[in-house]
Amino acid sequence: MLVEALAALAAAGGSAVVQAAGTDAWAGFRQAVAGWFGRGDGRQERAELERLERTVTALQTADPAQAERARISQEASWQARIEAALENLDEEERGRAADQLRALLARHVPEVRVTAGPGGVATGGGMDIHAEEGSIAAGVIHGGASIGPPPAADPPMGRADRHAPARSPARHPTPCADQEVFPPAITVSPSAGPARSSFTPRHVPR
């Protein structure tokens, strides 16, 4: 397995092949790439030239709806080929081959024009995107974006009876402000036996 630096180099090589395909820089770039793979083997170099031409054909004939997928597929394919080529070398040869590939990319990649589709971002070098103090940073945003305070949290949910309205305590009836209460009236009946009292509140308007 390649170390991270060499894996990144292989990824850059695969991307460079796709970017350069069909451009004015392609003729010199493909010859350099084929020579890097061949390493003095003419037969291997010719085989790589044929593969590179098939890459151009695949990218140029891809349906517009599948163009991005074709680019990704070709980048991954060439990245894998570069990784395999480096892994097949011993440590000393691998170091020399890596230096040669870096020089090759530095010489040819700057000549490649970098483009992006609608709504995309293109950069020929590194790109740093970051946000500070509550701002928003992004390469591409589809749709709206806004910054505001977070919404208030919903109250904790409990048992239904905890949220039932409280009942007012029972109250005993009290006389109205304009009602007077008289002492019990005494009713005497000779035939009914002892006297009995009855309480009858009388309402006297004021």
Side-chain angles (χ1 to χ4, degrees), residues 23 27 66 70 100 108 110 113 152 154:
T23 67
Q66 302 296 324
Q100 292 169 357
H108 293 279
R113 183 172 58 90
D154 294 333

Side-chain angles (χ1 to χ4, degrees), residues 3-104:
V3 297
E4 183 177 352
L6 293 183
L9 178 61
S15 178
V17 169
V18 172
Q19 291 182 27
T23 67
D24 294 339
W26 179 243
F29 181 73
R30 74 186 182 95
Q31 192 65 48
V33 171
W36 183 85
F37 276 102
R39 306 190 64 79
D41 185 339
R43 182 176 180 181
Q44 179 67 26
E45 184 174 336
R46 289 191 296 273
E48 297 300 331
L49 285 172
E50 292 177 359
R51 288 189 179 92
L52 289 165
E53 287 306 310
R54 288 198 294 271
T55 293
V56 173
T57 302
L59 293 174
Q60 292 180 343
T61 59
D63 185 88
Q66 302 296 324
E68 185 62 23
R69 180 177 296 181
R71 288 174 61 87
I72 294 173
S73 175
Q74 291 297 325
E75 283 184 8
S77 176
W78 282 102
Q79 176 181 347
R81 290 190 57 76
I82 294 172
E83 289 179 351
L86 290 172
E87 287 178 343
N88 289 334
L89 301 175
D90 59 40
E91 186 174 355
E92 183 178 355
E93 291 179 334
R94 185 181 302 124
R96 286 199 300 266
D99 290 340
Q100 292 169 357
L101 182 58
R102 290 190 187 95
L104 185 159

